[in-house]
Amino acid sequence: MSDISSYAAAGRSRDQDLDPRLAALVRAYPEPTLLLTPAGVVLAGNAAAEAMLGPARIGAPVSLTLRAPEVVEAARDAGIGGASHLVTFNLRVPVERSFEAHVLPIRFDSAAQAARAPDLVMLVFRDLTQAMRVDQMRADFVANASHELRTPLASLAGFIDTLRGPARDDPAMREKFLHIMGEQARRMSRLIDDLLSLSRVEMNVHRPPEAAVDLVPLTAHVRDALSPLARDRGVEIALEALQAPVMVRGERDDLIRLLENLVENALKYGASGKRVEISLKTEGTEAVLSVRDFGPGIAPEHLPRLTERFYRVDVAHSREQGGTGLGLALVKHIAARHRARLMIESEPGKGAVFIVRIPLSTG
Ligand code: ADP
């Protein structure tokens, strides 16, 4: 087979006869890549391109391999005039995805004039779908967080105006409004606490905690800490835990937060059931921690979305309870950092149970 320079000389008359070294180079390249003649006939592709587009139709016009007229057009232009292009495009089959294509004219002779038609055209693709999804999530998150803060802020501003104006000389009204304002301020600070905790846990999600934590005293601690709230709500908390230590690798404060969030939710949303059960046991290599309430439960269509940030079944009800919509997102992230699994089961009308399975520490 010819070497690169003789291929260059003979190139365009035998352009489907590709130097195997060029083909090997394309195959080795990690990004999806196609090599074309200047006239747009496919000479070679690599495995990444096959994963993206299906098998390349070698020897056929690129439009048969790649159904993106913008890119085909740019490749034709690069083949004639020798200009490079960056094109973004979507593929709709099998699912909608977004890509960018670098359309690069290749000249074997580096001294050749840029205006001369190239010897080959190389297409290199990059999948933007994931990056765009992350951008969208970030934008949604900022929009949601600002909205959550704006509501109590607007209400605070409103009450300040009322206190300055109509309620100025009315001590009873003033007392009432100050009470509501205090609630709103606490809500904003809870929201900020939750946002910061979420971002801290997320940042550490790939660094599993190393400390050994005994879940037995931890569950008792959470039960004690929440017993005033339980009394307020007229709910009895029953704790059923093993006597022997149940050791896991964990971050004590995060695990407390996780359990507190679950028990608090059970007290807030399941109060009508009058009873919340916390249970801790071991099964095989796992600690199984569960929180059960006997309230209204959760309809099945909501279950898959409960751990999304700011998702609530009933926004007004959650706000009344002082909820931020971030509790279960935090639970999910803490569980992920502990390599634990979270399961939610509920039969509407009978209550809900949240189960966390944490790997037991082995040494
Ligand atoms: P919030 O701050 O609103 O409590 P969470 O993320 O902790 O946010 O919970 C999200 C939503 O899940 C709640 O608004 C509520 O609708 C629902 N939910 C959570 N726990 C329970 C439960 N034990 N029973 C019924 N609904 C629940």
Side-chain angles (χ1 to χ4, degrees):
M1 196 65 191
S2 55
D3 65 13
I4 289 180
S5 54
S6 65
Y7 174 77
R12 256 161 294 153
S13 56
R14 303 189 293 113
D15 30 35
Q16 285 160 49
D17 191 9
L18 184 67
D19 184 322
R21 285 177 294 178
L22 283 179
L25 209 63
V26 169
R27 277 201 305 276
Y29 202 59
E31 304 292 333
T33 304
L34 293 177
L35 210 51
L36 315 180
T37 68
V41 171
V42 179
L43 292 170
N46 60 9
E50 179 162 347
M52 169 183 161
L53 302 165
R57 302 275 292 269
I58 305 292
V62 65
S63 54
L64 297 184
T65 298
L66 174 66
R67 309 219 172 255
E70 319 81 314
V71 185
V72 172
E73 186 52 44
R76 183 175 306 138
D77 189 65
I80 299 168
S84 34
H85 298 260
L86 178 62
V87 186
T88 51
F89 65 102
N90 291 338
L91 289 179
R92 292 189 174 77
V93 182
V95 285
E96 175 105 25
R97 287 168 301 163
S98 306
F99 295 91
E100 70 184 11
H102 287 266
V103 181
L104 307 165
I106 310 280
R107 291 184 189 81
F108 295 147
D109 178 357
S110 59
Q113 282 190 355
R116 213 199 66 189
D119 297 288
L120 295 169
V121 174
M122 184 158 95
L123 305 184
V124 182
F125 302 97
R126 202 158 70 86
D127 193 340
L128 302 179
T129 318
Q130 189 58 23
M132 286 169 81
R133 206 171 285 151
V134 170
D135 278 352
Q136 184 60 45
M137 273 169 57
R138 198 172 296 143
D140 287 352
F141 178 64
V142 171
N144 280 328
S146 323
H147 177 76
E148 292 293 331
L149 281 170
R150 184 174 296 141
T151 319
L153 259 181
S155 121
L156 274 185
F159 283 123
I160 290 171
D161 286 346
T162 318
L163 285 176
R164 283 204 176 119
R168 187 202 297 264
D169 301 317
D170 184 338
M173 284 301 236
R174 199 164 55 218
E175 226 13 73
K176 185 174 159 209
F177 290 160
L178 285 173
H179 175 74
I180 304 176
M181 289 167 76
E183 284 290 306
Q184 300 289 12
R186 276 189 289 281
R187 188 170 139 215
M188 283 192 285
S189 90
R190 250 193 325 268
L191 184 62
I192 288 167
D193 282 350
D194 281 358
L195 284 171
L196 289 175
S197 304
L198 202 54
S199 101
R200 190 177 51 77
V201 176
E202 249 181 336
M203 236 158 32
N204 290 326
V205 79
H206 297 298
R207 277 200 293 132
E210 283 167 8
V213 177
D214 182 358
L215 294 178
V216 175
L218 189 143
T219 43
H221 167 83
V222 171
R223 187 233 4 232
D224 295 346
L226 289 177
S227 60
L229 179 64
R231 247 194 321 275
D232 273 4
R233 305 282 158 125
V235 178
E236 177 204 354
I237 303 184
L239 170 61
E240 191 183 316
L242 297 171
Q243 295 300 314
V246 175
M247 304 302 294
V248 298
R249 295 237 168 266
E251 190 88 63
R252 184 168 180 274
D253 288 349
D254 281 353
L255 289 171
I256 289 179
R257 194 90 198 240
L258 175 149
L259 186 57
E260 262 176 6
N261 271 318
L262 294 179
V263 177
E264 246 177 59
N265 277 351
L267 294 172
K268 286 188 315 198
Y269 303 107
S272 59
K274 301 278 176 221
R275 182 179 167 83
V276 168
E277 293 174 357
I278 307 174
S279 129
L280 172 64
K281 54 188 180 183
T282 58
E283 265 177 31
T285 57
E286 291 177 325
V288 183
L289 187 57
S290 73
V291 177
R292 180 186 294 276
D293 69 70
F294 300 88
I298 304 155
E301 65 270 25
H302 296 295
L303 289 181
R305 300 199 54 195
L306 279 193
T307 57
E308 284 175 24
R309 290 155 194 211
F310 299 116
Y311 187 84
R312 288 108 145 188
V313 175
D314 178 340
V315 176
H317 185 44
S318 153
R319 290 220 175 110
E320 264 165 41
Q321 306 285 332
T324 59
L326 293 173
L328 289 178
L330 200 53
V331 166
K332 180 176 80 174
H333 278 89
I334 294 174
R337 185 168 178 228
H338 286 78
R339 308 290 176 262
R341 289 180 292 147
L342 169 69
M343 274 167 299
I344 310 172
E345 292 163 13
S346 177
E347 206 179 317
K350 298 205 169 151
V353 52
F354 290 72
I355 306 162
V356 185
R357 294 176 165 271
I358 314 172
L360 287 168
S361 122
T362 44

